Amino acid sequence: MSGSFRRLISGRNTAVLLASLGAGTMATGVLLNENGSLAAEAKKKLYPPSSDFPDLRKHNNCMAAALTPAVYAKLRDKLTPNNWTLDQCIQTGVDNPGHPFIKTVGCVAGDEESYEVFAELFDPVIKDRHNGYDPRTMTHPTDLDASKIKNGMFDENYVLSSRVRTGRSIRGLSLPPACSRAERREVERVVVTALAGLKGDLAGRYYSLGDMTDKEQQQLIDDHFLFDKPVSPLLTCAFMARDWPDARGIWHNNEKTFLIWVNEEDHTRVISMEKGGNMKRVFERFCSGLKQVEHLIQERGWEFMWNERLGYILTCPSNLGTGLRAGVHVRLPKLSKDPRFNKILDNLRLQKRGTGGVDTAATGDTFDLSNLDRLGKSEVELVQLVVNGVNYLIDCEKKLEKGQDIQIPAPLVQFKK
């Protein structure tokens, strides 16, 4: 019976047979080749790319703006070495036409090679998201010398907390949207083994999400360290929540000022944070910890994904380059009611969020403000941009308190071309 069926569908009437059977009858929608092996790609080639092109007419994200039928036709059947496809890259952007608070990217990488194999999509997305940065002609600077930061102590009557974060990916392992269970567990093993080598004020311990006790879990919740299973459709449609909580966890130092998330949206998220306005100290710890972690990773024969055009490689194109987000929670009761507030933020290249994170609107008079850009400027440049910008906003707030006028600053240039 199976031999007769195999011979039947291997003939030239396959397409007609499939159409008559319907997708449900074929279950997984794959064909059997003459040797009886699975051949999913054969099904795809039955239909031209124009039949597969997603309906993006109502979409407002970077992917939808960049993906033309011609680009889709050229890239649809390509695979990375880890068998990641264009359709997998764009699924989150297809399923999520827009976002109420920010313009989303609309695509993710499954591995380091995605940015090359699908460059005709990713390059214009990168250029759109990163304010004109051209990954074909420009190079990205890296600078982790925290001593260069000037005026990095904010007025704590206004700034409630300071934080710097980035991500790092382990070269040779697929990124979270595409990784197998074995790869995810290997990321955890490599990272946790390396972190055990941290000493002094960076020494700490790892908490596995799957193995932690109720007491440990409650303590991490109380500390606002715990990350939950992704519920945002931007992440779930990018396959981020598979096998949760397998091989996910949180490492933090004993002082609870240096954290590393393992296998959330990226292989690792590195975070330096503390209450108050000492951004320079937060950045010093960030740079020191990051350098030590990279050294410990390299000692064990691994390295981070990096190249001179894109900087550090991460899952979402929005985080390429530094992957850095330097942010503060800041109270601006008068300035936030001024009609010029958003224009001032735009010109300072600062992004406004609610204090609950990316999926929350900014409400009240306390905001999470951070650098808008990641790529084309170094870590030092971006942190200094935030320091200068937040100090300018605080000066505006003080002037408004005194009944004085404020000025909209001239737009900043993101990078030197």
Side-chain angles (χ1 to χ4, degrees):
M1 175 68 178
S2 62
S4 300
F5 181 71
R6 183 168 62 249
R7 287 193 297 273
L8 177 63
I9 69 168
S10 66
R12 61 185 181 182
N13 290 324
T14 302
V16 176
L17 173 64
L18 282 173
S20 63
L21 286 172
T25 307
M26 293 302 291
T28 59
V30 299
L31 297 176
L32 296 173
N33 67 13
E34 291 182 353
N35 297 320
S37 62
L38 293 178
E41 290 306 305
K43 183 194 73 160
K44 185 174 281 187
K45 292 175 182 177
L46 289 172
Y47 302 99
S50 58
S51 297
D52 256 342
F53 187 74
D55 184 355
L56 303 175
R57 290 173 295 175
K58 296 182 180 179
H59 287 57
N60 178 33
N61 55 48
C62 297
M63 177 278 294
L67 188 65
T68 65
V71 169
Y72 183 82
K74 188 172 183 179
L75 300 180
R76 184 195 67 167
D77 296 332
K78 289 188 175 184
L79 296 169
T80 70
N82 297 302
N83 293 320
W84 185 253
T85 69
L86 174 69
D87 279 310
Q88 289 170 309
C89 287
I90 67 173
Q91 194 64 55
T92 182
V94 173
D95 291 347
N96 296 282
H99 190 280
F101 310 129
I102 59 174
K103 182 179 181 181
T104 57
V105 173
C107 55
V108 295
D111 47 30
E112 186 171 8
E113 295 81 2
S114 295
Y115 289 107
E116 289 301 321
V117 174
F118 307 117
E120 287 176 83
L121 170 67
F122 279 111
D123 283 357
V125 166
I126 291 166
K127 197 170 184 178
D128 183 7
R129 172 59 182 83
H130 294 284
N131 200 33
Y133 183 91
D134 188 342
R136 292 296 128 185
T137 63
M138 303 174 73
T139 56
H140 172 78
T142 296
D143 187 351
L144 290 168
D145 184 356
S147 68
K148 296 178 181 178
I149 297 299
K150 308 298 181 186
N151 304 313
M153 182 68 203
F154 297 121
D155 187 333
E156 294 185 338
N157 290 314
Y158 300 89
V159 172
L160 309 179
S161 62
S162 305
R163 166 179 167 166
V164 180
R165 66 86 163 152
T166 189
R168 290 292 186 265
S169 307
I170 310 297
R171 177 160 280 157
L173 299 171
S174 296
L175 296 169
C179 66
S180 65
R181 297 182 188 93
E183 286 179 302
R184 189 186 302 113
R185 291 165 186 168
E186 183 69 352
V187 168
E188 182 183 44
R189 185 193 69 79
V190 169
V191 173
V192 173
T193 301
L195 292 175
L198 290 175
K199 306 296 183 185
D201 63 351
L202 294 178
R205 63 165 290 191
Y206 179 69
Y207 300 84
S208 166
L209 263 62
D211 298 334
M212 69 176 63
T213 65
D214 291 343
K215 182 179 179 180
E216 290 170 341
Q217 181 178 357
Q218 187 59 50
Q219 185 61 57
L220 289 169
I221 291 172
D222 292 342
D223 291 333
H224 304 288
F225 290 172
L226 191 67
F227 63 89
D228 296 321
K229 182 176 181 178
V231 294
S232 168
L234 298 175
L235 299 179
T236 57
C237 293
F239 320 112
M240 303 283 193
R242 293 173 300 125
D243 308 309
W244 198 271
D246 187 78
R248 276 86 167 188
I250 299 167
W251 182 96
H252 68 71
N253 67 342
N254 295 328
E255 284 74 29
K256 300 181 179 180
T257 56
F258 189 69
L259 290 73
I260 296 181
W261 292 354
V262 178
N263 285 321
E264 190 229 14
E265 182 178 340
D266 291 297
H267 286 168
T268 63
R269 279 285 174 93
V270 181
I271 306 164
S272 176
M273 59 189 287
E274 63 181 68
K275 292 187 181 300
N278 199 333
M279 177 60 83
K280 182 163 186 174
R281 185 169 61 201
V282 169
F283 188 50
E284 287 172 343
R285 185 189 311 113
F286 172 86
C287 294
S288 173
L290 202 52
K291 290 173 184 175
Q292 291 186 51
V293 171
E294 182 164 19
H295 176 71
L296 291 166
I297 292 280
Q298 290 173 340
E299 276 190 337
R300 288 153 178 79
W302 297 86
E303 62 181 345
F304 292 141
M305 297 181 190
W306 178 90
N307 68 57
E308 64 178 10
R309 294 182 301 100
L310 298 178
Y312 288 98
I313 305 298
L314 295 169
T315 298
C316 181
S318 68
N319 286 322
L320 291 170
T322 60
L324 182 141
R325 181 172 179 267
V328 297
H329 284 187
V330 57
R331 290 185 61 253
L332 299 168
K334 292 190 178 296
L335 180 59
S336 61
K337 296 179 177 64
D338 192 288
R340 294 165 289 186
F341 183 42
N342 288 333
K343 181 62 176 176
I344 292 173
L345 293 177
D346 289 344
N347 285 7
L348 294 174
R349 301 298 296 169
L350 294 178
Q351 184 178 52
K352 175 181 65 176
R353 297 178 176 179
T355 54
V358 65
D359 284 318
T360 62
T363 58
D365 59 16
T366 302
F367 303 89
D368 181 340
L369 300 181
S370 61
N371 52 295
L372 179 61
D373 304 306
R374 311 276 186 268
L375 181 61
K377 281 187 178 290
S378 71
E379 291 83 355
V380 166
E381 289 175 298
L382 290 175
V383 172
Q384 190 65 60
L385 179 150
V386 171
V387 167
N388 295 345
V390 172
N391 280 329
Y392 185 88
L393 296 173
I394 292 173
D395 286 343
C396 288
E397 181 69 21
K398 291 178 177 178
K399 287 180 178 179
L400 291 173
E401 288 172 353
K402 297 174 182 177
Q404 299 172 356
D405 194 20
I406 60 173
Q407 301 296 319
I408 297 175
L412 293 179
V413 176
Q414 186 203 353
F415 44 69
K416 297 176 182 178
K417 296 188 179 181

